Amino acid sequence: MDTTEPRSASLHNSLRATPSTFHILIMTEQARKRKRVAISCTLCRKRKIRCNRATPCSNCVRSRNATCLYETEAPRMLSVNIAPAPMWDSRSVASNAMTPSSTTSTTSIELESMKRRIKDLEALLSRTNIESNHITRVQSGNSQQIDEAGSWLPKNYHVVQHQSKSTAPTHAVRVTSGLAGPIDILEDDRWSQKAPVARGIAHKNRVFGQSHWMNGFVVFKDLIELLEPQMRLSKTLLPGLHRAKALARVIKTRRSPEWPTPSIAGLPPRSVCDDLVAHYFRNLETLYRVLHRPTFQETYNQMWVIESSTPFMMQVKLVLAIGAITYDKSCSMRADATRWIYEAQTWIAKPTIKSRLGVEYLQTSILLLLARELVDVGSELVWISAGALLREAMYIGLHKDPMQLPRSSHFEREMRRRLWNTILEINAQFSLISGGSCLITMNDFTTTPPGNFNDEDLCTADATPATDEVFTDSSVAIALRRTLPIRLHVVCFLNDAATLGTYDETLRIDADLRAASKSLRQAIQPQSCSSGATGGFTSSFALEATEFIMQRYISSLHIPYLNPSFSEAAYAYSRKAVLDTSLKIWNLACPSSESISDRTGLLDGIETDMARICRCGAGFFRAFTFHASTFLAVELRAQYQDEDNVPRPDLLRIPNDAADLVIQCIDAGETGIKGYLLLRVLEAQIDAIKKRVPKEETIVLLGKAAENAISDCLPLLERIAGIQDSSTEDSINPAKFDFQVSPDFMEDWDLVMSDVFDFEAITI
């Protein structure tokens, strides 16, 4: 009697009766009627070879087939209860589970073999959040199929993975206005429909994870709604915005050379180049170890005597481009830095990459990414390029520790460890700012952290690393590496597609991240390190930059809960966390700024390197300085709205000081005015709330503040664009300019605002 159908119906009823349980169902196809019982295993029958009928049979033992099965067995049903594990381990676990076993026991019975298979499936499903996907994969005909653990199953078996539990429920809320354009906010309202949590942002053709700053855009929603009527009523606001946009394109076009850009031999005078190189090694090289300074310096000195190779010249020009950001207050060499980046990008984009792939090529690629971000040449797309760099590094084996590879010198081993460590660091950093996944976990590589060596030590074959208490050229990079697991954890938690993002888990990660930050701070403080071989101590830039980085990771955890925190007491800790971290970031970027218009980032009359990078550079440091200032202004607004609260004195000057800083950024090369406009309008709203101005009058005040903000910026942009008289008819006529801009600038995304304000969609 055929009992397959009743058992199948019973199983489906069982699945419906237990919606919170996953079931793995392994069964045979409906058996065909045969005149005699099949006595050979399925594999031997398929191959039409003699089977000795053992378990496993001799043929399966020789072919290392782990699933020697016979169709004479009754259909099986195995039910496994699986509790999902934290999602951030999913890729690492899946990558391990997808590797088939290469060993097979020759004495195990079939039942033990099946138990192993079920155990593998259970381990995979319990640790990959497979519950988010309803998967049924069946291969028909004579072909075989591969199961989720990576092993091949016979043709008569299939795996059904059933689920009735989904990931965190989200729905898109479209915010559309003439000012902001269409923005889809992916919201999670499991705990509060009054103040849902933003889980991501979809804008134009891009989708950003939770670490992207636009998830904090919802705190400005009411401000934009108030300003929108004035945008349409004002006779100067929209034309002024179009003028600013036209000027920005002119400035960018004049800075950008033709593409492709061939390399030219000319460099600035040697004294200038020496200063630029010194600025690079004093700042970014202390954070991201890319070059071996003695080797670079020796070749650099020879370069002025004899002609150097093209690869080294590309490295020199990229070092000069990075050094130009902190060279002077106005970043006067920005155009030169842009050309050097274009030259390097042209050289590295040639299709003959395979012949050059190696350590020197990776060094150039890293320098190119850092330069593109700091000088703002396609800086919004560096996360994509960082992914390609990661794969190039893996292609030459940097993800494997040098001790696992063919014999190499002490110098080669340490340089490979340094470069891999730097690639991991910039991937995490670019993923955080772009709202993207890191696409790598700690289980995807075996390379150990770099040794605690000074650069000179690598020239000695038998050098031994210094102890942790001794500060060397690599101490900061090593200390940062110890925090990498928790920082990768944060990025995956915020940006992975299947993240659950519960608030309890946010608080647990916050505790771990703060502990790691404290340990990092203690490890690199000057008083905790004795001098190394070079007699050096932790540079002030390295101290400030590492603190800046860790504070931003903490802030990113809590920004999705910032808007709900103003109405939900349950998220009060996140509000305080964003306030505290934003203040620390602001003070690092603008230390001792009693009056920022007079003393931007000055210590004893000298601007710090950290402050100058935040003002003259682009990317991670300047963007998050601006975002921190907006969050502080929003906090000040909320304190004024609470009549029972007395605003904090240290917040009172933030909106005005931050707006002045943006003006200084424009003077140093930034072309976007939207950040300045936002801060001035936000400042006007705060002033109106403080004075209890009626809503109708507030709307007028906001429009006036926006007009004044544009009036402040236009003369500055005109001067930079080379237009002296803005009153003439031809001064800002977009039709008279040639907008043959490069593809990098077609989107015209301002770094501090990411082109949120879609002014071209507004009809005048």
Side-chain angles (χ1 to χ4, degrees):
M1 179 176 178
D2 191 353
T3 61
T4 303
E5 195 65 31
R7 293 195 61 170
S8 177
S10 174
L11 288 172
H12 283 288
N13 291 334
S14 174
L15 292 176
R16 289 193 295 268
T18 57
S20 62
T21 304
F22 301 97
H23 298 265
I24 302 174
L25 177 61
I26 302 179
M27 63 178 67
T28 63
E29 295 176 342
Q30 186 172 1
R32 295 181 300 170
K33 293 183 179 180
R34 302 177 59 88
K35 293 182 179 179
R36 61 184 177 85
V37 177
I39 58 177
S40 299
C41 73
T42 55
L43 186 60
C44 290
R45 286 183 55 247
K46 178 182 177 182
R47 295 178 177 177
K48 296 182 179 179
I49 58 178
R50 186 180 184 86
C51 180
N52 69 349
R53 309 171 193 173
T55 307
C57 72
S58 57
N59 296 323
C60 287
V61 171
R62 285 194 296 271
S63 62
R64 295 186 176 181
N65 176 43
T67 53
C68 180
L69 304 177
Y70 294 82
E71 283 193 355
T72 55
E73 297 176 332
R76 298 174 180 263
M77 181 197 74
L78 296 172
S79 179
V80 183
N81 294 333
I82 301 174
M87 50 72 59
W88 49 85
D89 286 337
S90 59
R91 292 191 304 275
S92 61
V93 175
S95 64
N96 292 340
M98 288 295 289
T99 305
S101 175
S102 61
T103 60
T104 304
S105 173
T106 59
T107 60
S108 62
I109 61 174
E110 181 192 5
L111 180 60
E112 293 174 346
S113 177
M114 289 300 299
K115 286 181 177 179
R116 287 196 302 271
R117 298 297 309 116
I118 298 305
K119 185 177 180 181
D120 291 342
L121 289 170
E122 177 185 359
L124 176 70
L125 293 177
S126 66
R127 302 180 66 184
T128 58
N129 282 324
I130 202 73
E131 70 272 17
S132 62
N133 301 302
H134 182 86
I135 303 174
T136 303
R137 303 201 308 172
V138 181
Q139 296 282 9
S140 58
N142 293 326
S143 63
Q144 287 183 313
Q145 69 178 31
I146 187 169
D147 69 349
E148 292 296 337
S151 298
W152 290 93
L153 294 176
K155 65 177 181 180
N156 293 327
Y157 290 80
H158 66 277
V159 176
V160 177
Q161 297 162 356
H162 179 82
Q163 61 87 27
S164 57
K165 178 183 177 181
S166 64
T167 56
T170 58
H171 60 275
V173 175
R174 171 155 290 192
V175 179
T176 304
S177 69
L179 177 63
I183 297 176
D184 292 311
I185 305 173
L186 309 180
E187 293 185 342
D188 176 4
D189 57 2
R190 283 178 293 173
W191 299 284
S192 173
Q193 294 184 356
K194 180 181 179 181
V197 177
R199 295 299 186 193
I201 296 289
H203 180 61
K204 293 187 176 180
N205 60 344
R206 294 168 170 87
V207 179
F208 307 116
Q210 292 182 92
S211 72
H212 194 277
W213 84 270
M214 283 184 65
N215 285 271
F217 169 78
V218 292
V219 301
F220 308 117
K221 180 181 176 182
D222 64 326
L223 183 63
I224 292 174
E225 291 173 347
L226 289 174
L227 184 60
E228 184 178 0
Q230 291 300 112
M231 294 287 294
R232 301 186 181 279
L233 293 175
S234 174
K235 295 181 180 180
T236 60
L237 190 53
L238 288 176
L241 289 170
H242 282 292
R243 290 177 65 189
K245 198 172 187 71
L247 282 169
R249 288 178 174 173
V250 170
I251 294 169
K252 288 180 177 179
T253 301
R254 291 180 176 176
R255 286 178 187 162
S256 306
E258 294 291 332
W259 178 267
T261 310
S263 178
I264 58 176
L267 287 176
R270 177 164 185 180
S271 59
V272 175
C273 290
D274 289 347
D275 285 345
L276 295 176
V277 170
H279 275 268
Y280 166 78
F281 278 103
R282 189 176 71 197
N283 296 321
L284 249 63
E285 183 65 30
T286 64
L287 200 62
Y288 313 108
R289 297 311 320 272
V290 182
L291 301 173
H292 181 245
R293 186 167 188 173
T295 302
F296 177 88
Q297 196 69 48
E298 180 181 358
T299 312
Y300 171 79
N301 293 335
Q302 294 175 355
M303 178 190 73
W304 298 99
V305 180
I306 59 176
E307 184 178 356
S308 296
S309 64
T310 300
F312 182 76
M313 284 301 302
M314 292 300 104
Q315 288 188 5
V316 170
K317 290 184 176 182
L318 291 172
V319 167
L320 299 180
I322 296 172
I325 296 299
T326 56
Y327 178 67
D328 56 19
K329 291 183 178 181
S330 61
C331 196
S332 59
M333 302 186 68
R334 186 178 293 274
D336 294 321
T338 301
R339 178 175 181 87
W340 294 329
I341 292 171
Y342 267 71
E343 290 181 13
Q345 185 70 65
T346 301
W347 176 78
I348 215 166
K350 291 182 180 179
T352 56
I353 179 177
K354 185 176 180 180
S355 62
R356 296 197 304 265
L357 196 58
V359 169
E360 186 178 38
Y361 173 85
L362 291 180
Q363 288 174 316
T364 305
S365 297
I366 295 172
L367 291 172
L368 178 59
L369 285 184
L370 295 174
R372 281 179 53 193
E373 185 198 30
L374 280 171
V375 185
D376 195 14
V377 178
S379 60
E380 69 278 0
L381 301 178
V382 290
W383 174 67
I384 299 174
S385 301
L389 174 63
L390 179 69
R391 283 153 182 78
E392 291 166 357
M394 297 179 78
Y395 201 68
I396 65 172
L398 258 65
H399 65 304
K400 292 182 177 293
D401 191 78
M403 300 305 294
Q404 298 176 306
L405 299 175
R407 185 176 181 83
S408 56
S409 67
H410 171 65
F411 175 84
E412 293 170 338
R413 291 195 299 270
E414 282 305 313
M415 288 304 299
R416 290 174 69 91
R417 291 189 178 108
R418 286 185 179 186
L419 289 180
W420 178 251
N421 191 65
T422 299
I423 291 172
L424 291 175
E425 185 62 43
I426 63 176
N427 263 276
Q429 179 171 307
F430 293 163
S431 297
L432 185 74
I433 193 172
S434 68
S437 299
C438 285
L439 306 179
I440 192 169
T441 71
M442 298 299 293
N443 290 339
D444 293 332
F445 58 91
T446 60
T447 308
T448 59
N452 195 25
F453 293 102
N454 283 302
D455 282 3
E456 290 78 5
D457 298 335
L458 300 187
C459 302
T460 305
D462 57 350
T464 57
T467 61
D468 292 342
E469 292 75 20
V470 177
F471 180 79
T472 69
D473 299 330
S474 299
S475 293
V476 175
I478 295 171
L480 261 181
R481 173 63 175 271
R482 296 193 186 103
T483 70
L484 182 63
I486 184 61
R487 289 188 288 121
L488 287 180
H489 187 153
V490 170
V491 177
C492 292
F493 178 75
L494 293 174
N495 297 336
D496 277 9
T499 180
L500 295 177
T502 64
Y503 192 59
D504 287 343
E505 188 60 32
T506 298
L507 297 180
R508 285 193 292 269
I509 298 174
D510 172 86
D512 294 340
L513 189 56
R514 289 179 186 274
S517 179
K518 181 179 179 180
S519 298
L520 171 63
R521 195 179 303 114
Q522 293 173 344
I524 62 175
Q525 285 295 331
Q527 60 268 23
S528 65
C529 301
S530 59
S531 61
T534 59
F537 289 94
T538 314
S539 71
S540 60
F541 174 81
L543 284 172
E544 294 163 358
T546 52
E547 183 68 18
F548 190 109
I549 290 170
M550 297 305 295
Q551 293 301 321
R552 182 57 194 185
Y553 274 90
I554 297 173
S555 178
S556 297
L557 267 179
H558 295 280
I559 287 174
Y561 301 96
L562 178 59
N563 193 54
S565 70
F566 294 121
S567 58
E568 299 284 344
Y571 302 127
Y573 179 77
S574 289
R575 177 177 174 179
K576 183 178 184 301
V578 173
L579 171 61
D580 293 343
T581 55
S582 296
L583 271 175
K584 290 178 181 178
I585 289 173
W586 175 254
N587 290 330
L588 286 168
C590 305
S592 303
S593 55
E594 294 179 0
S595 176
I596 194 169
S597 58
D598 299 326
R599 300 184 61 213
T600 302
L602 296 181
L603 290 177
D604 299 327
I606 301 175
E607 186 177 34
T608 64
D609 288 334
M610 185 68 194
R612 186 165 291 181
I613 281 182
C614 292
R615 184 173 60 83
C616 298
F620 186 89
F621 293 106
R622 191 180 75 189
F624 286 151
T625 298
F626 170 77
H627 303 155
S629 69
T630 61
F631 296 141
L632 293 174
V634 168
E635 173 63 30
L636 179 62
R637 181 183 67 177
Q639 292 185 11
Y640 273 119
Q641 288 172 334
D642 186 356
E643 298 181 0
D644 298 330
N645 245 346
V646 177
R648 290 179 49 157
D650 54 350
L651 298 180
L652 297 179
R653 293 191 56 88
I654 294 294
N656 181 70
D657 288 357
D660 287 344
L661 176 61
V662 175
I663 280 288
Q664 294 184 17
C665 292
I666 295 174
D667 190 44
E670 168 61 36
T671 58
I673 71 168
K674 301 167 189 176
Y676 182 76
L677 185 149
L678 173 66
L679 286 165
R680 286 305 186 195
V681 173
L682 189 56
E683 183 182 17
Q685 185 189 29
I686 293 171
D687 189 59
I689 294 172
K690 180 173 61 174
K691 297 177 180 179
R692 301 293 186 260
V693 176
K695 181 177 180 181
E696 293 74 15
E697 295 182 28
T698 298
I699 294 175
V700 176
L701 290 174
L702 297 183
K704 186 64 176 177
E707 292 175 353
N708 292 337
I710 296 173
S711 299
D712 292 341
C713 295
L714 283 178
L716 191 55
L717 291 176
E718 291 167 357
R719 177 177 60 79
I720 297 172
I723 299 172
Q724 301 299 328
D725 187 2
S726 61
S727 63
T728 62
E729 180 181 355
D730 296 339
S731 61
I732 312 293
N733 185 354
K736 294 184 179 295
F737 293 112
D738 180 16
F739 293 121
Q740 299 298 318
V741 296
S742 66
D744 288 340
F745 300 126
M746 288 301 292
E747 287 290 338
D748 195 25
W749 275 41
D750 297 332
L751 180 62
V752 296
M753 289 300 293
S754 297
D755 207 20
V756 171
F757 297 152
D758 191 4
F759 300 124
E760 293 189 352
I762 305 173
T763 57
I764 303 176

